[in-house]
Amino acid sequence: MAHTRSALQPLLLSALMALTACGTQSANGAALESKARSLGIEPAMVYVTDVPGYSVALQSVGVIGDHGFGVSYSGPEGGTIELRVDEHAFSGPVGCTEDTNATGTGHVTCEQEGNHWYRATGTSHSYVLEDSDRVIRLSADLGTVDRDVLRQAAEHVHQASAEESARVLPSESRSGQGLPERGDLPANGDGAPQDPAGLFAGTSG
């Protein structure tokens, strides 16, 4: 009997540790959802990407529209990639031909690459893709971020895991100034939220 008890102890300990870890993960997930909502962001809207040399600009994280998500990635040579996630605004396919009169004057090119759409004006370019009922846009200045780098950002974009959300969502301890400013509002005046990608306005704005 003593031998049976000693054999069961490691199994019981392992089960207890697993339950504890599961409870911790659930608590962390709930805390992250609460943090996102406190910022006005729907947790499902939090997406991230991965481009070598580019890192999250924490001060850029903010709500887009009513509950979308926006963040910028800064490059080693000053280039910036803007990631914006919002609700799908159109019933048809996502394509820049639907928005040729948006921000960005001059000649507009538009082409499809697999599940992505690429749009370029004389000064900026964007990749757009759909995920469920969300539209994800990655945009940059043509002079500072080339198409290959922007394509890589589009290929690697994905819904953030709990660990990634914890790293990207701001907190008071990071800035000491409470909630961040909205990433899509103009710096001056009372204008409408900006669409840096010059592509689509989401329905939540």
Side-chain angles (χ1 to χ4, degrees):
M1 178 67 87
H3 175 73
T4 302
R5 184 182 297 113
S6 62
L8 286 174
Q9 284 177 345
L11 295 176
L12 291 172
L13 181 60
S14 297
L16 179 61
M17 293 177 63
L19 288 172
T20 302
C22 181
T24 301
Q25 290 174 358
S26 298
N28 289 342
L32 288 169
E33 288 190 10
S34 177
K35 180 191 287 188
R37 289 195 170 96
S38 73
L39 298 170
I41 301 167
E42 178 64 31
M45 295 281 193
V46 181
Y47 280 67
V48 294
T49 189
D50 181 23
V51 182
Y54 282 75
S55 58
V56 171
L58 292 177
Q59 72 276 10
S60 71
V61 177
V63 62
I64 298 296
D66 286 343
H67 50 247
F69 174 72
V71 62
S72 295
Y73 289 79
S74 299
E77 298 180 2
T80 299
I81 297 174
E82 296 176 335
L83 168 60
R84 301 289 182 262
V85 185
D86 207 351
E87 293 174 330
H88 198 314
F90 301 96
S91 58
V94 173
C96 46
T97 54
E98 296 174 347
D99 192 42
T100 54
N101 293 321
T103 304
T105 58
H107 180 66
V108 176
T109 60
C110 174
E111 56 189 271
Q112 189 171 9
E113 292 185 17
N115 296 325
H116 302 71
W117 284 87
Y118 175 76
R119 180 182 191 268
T121 69
T123 58
S124 65
H125 55 164
S126 307
Y127 272 97
V128 185
L129 60 148
E130 287 182 281
D131 186 14
S132 299
D133 59 348
R134 295 175 289 273
V135 174
I136 303 151
R137 293 173 289 239
L138 296 110
S139 61
D141 187 275
L142 270 172
T144 57
V145 179
D146 65 36
R147 182 170 176 174
D148 288 340
V149 171
L150 192 59
R151 182 189 298 111
Q152 183 174 357
E155 290 174 346
H156 290 174
V157 73
H158 59 277
Q159 196 169 36
S161 66
E163 182 179 354
E164 290 167 330
S165 293
R167 288 199 301 263
V168 74
L169 290 176
S171 63
E172 290 187 4
S173 62
R174 287 181 178 174
S175 65
Q177 299 177 351
L179 302 182
E181 295 183 0
R182 281 177 46 146
D184 61 334
L185 293 179
N188 300 301
D190 299 321
Q194 300 169 333
D195 180 8
L199 203 48
F200 304 113
T203 58
S204 64

